[in-house]
Amino acid sequence: MKKKIRNWSQYNRALVQRGNINIWLSESAISKWQNTEKHGGRGRSNYYSDLAIETCLTLRAVFHLPLRALEGFVNSLLTMMDTSLQSPGYSCLCKRSKTLDVQYRNSAGKGFIDIVVDSTGLKVYGNGEWHTRKHRATKRRTWRKLHLAVDATSHDIVGAELSMVNVSDGD
């Protein structure tokens, strides 16, 4: 620690406040929660807007929730906000998540990025491995190499490739 803490009561209150979650939707988001547009094709139009589905899926990614727990979490948030809105059901979220492209993180987009490339060996397990251990038979072990390209500043995986063991990092 760089500084000694002298105001312990204020420090403790700050630690407790870290667990406080306040999430509010703007009036424009509430007004756009339900879909009002017709798609023009066969079947019923979507009841919930893309904004509502993206909001729910973003909350799911932030809090690492399964879809059913996400439905309950969003319903509790909407109840705390004293709105008459309901959360999309877990099956609706599952179906619509396949068609929406939710951007969780802003991509750098402009300029150059530094990429770090490395590889590691992965052992392949299968029926042959069990047979080799049980009967102590001699058999060649199977390996694969996983090559990763990582952005040096954001630590995002930019590319990944799985190859045979005889491929080098340079290739």
Side-chain angles (χ1 to χ4, degrees):
M1 281 176 79
K2 295 180 180 181
K3 294 183 180 180
K4 236 180 175 183
I5 298 173
R6 299 191 191 278
N7 54 350
W8 282 102
S9 61
Q10 185 180 4
Y11 179 71
N12 284 334
R13 278 194 303 266
L15 290 178
V16 169
Q17 282 299 103
R18 286 184 183 177
N20 189 3
I21 298 175
N22 288 325
I23 299 174
W24 299 104
L25 298 176
S26 67
E27 291 297 325
S28 64
I30 291 173
S31 66
K32 295 177 185 174
W33 190 260
Q34 293 173 339
N35 192 14
T36 57
E37 301 171 1
K38 305 293 183 197
H39 60 72
R42 291 181 64 172
R44 180 177 67 139
S45 294
N46 292 329
Y47 184 73
Y48 296 101
S49 66
D50 289 347
L51 175 73
I53 302 297
E54 286 181 18
T55 302
C56 292
L57 293 176
T58 303
L59 287 172
R60 178 184 188 213
V62 168
F63 294 110
H64 306 288
L65 295 172
L67 288 174
R68 291 182 180 159
L70 174 66
E71 181 183 352
F73 181 70
V74 173
N75 275 331
S76 69
L77 289 176
L78 294 173
T79 303
M80 282 192 316
M81 293 173 55
D82 198 26
T83 64
S84 61
L85 299 176
Q86 289 291 315
S87 168
Y90 62 89
S91 60
C92 174
L93 288 168
C94 181
K95 290 174 189 172
R96 298 276 303 275
S97 67
K98 295 175 187 172
T99 60
L100 286 179
D101 183 29
V102 180
Q103 298 295 324
Y104 297 114
R105 191 181 282 185
N106 292 337
S107 59
K110 296 182 180 179
F112 295 100
I113 58 172
D114 295 324
I115 294 180
V116 179
V117 177
D118 195 15
S119 67
T120 184
L122 302 172
K123 188 173 181 184
V124 178
Y125 286 96
N127 294 337
E129 287 294 322
W130 172 82
H131 188 271
T132 303
R133 272 195 313 256
K134 182 175 181 187
H135 300 293
R136 295 194 175 125
T138 57
K139 180 183 178 244
R140 285 187 77 172
R141 303 292 200 270
T142 307
W143 290 84
R144 300 285 186 266
K145 284 182 92 172
L146 177 65
H147 305 271
L148 295 174
V150 179
D151 183 359
T153 55
S154 67
H155 303 288
D156 290 335
I157 296 176
V158 178
E161 184 72 31
L162 191 64
S163 66
M164 299 300 286
V165 72
N166 57 359
V167 177
S168 68
D169 291 343
D171 294 344

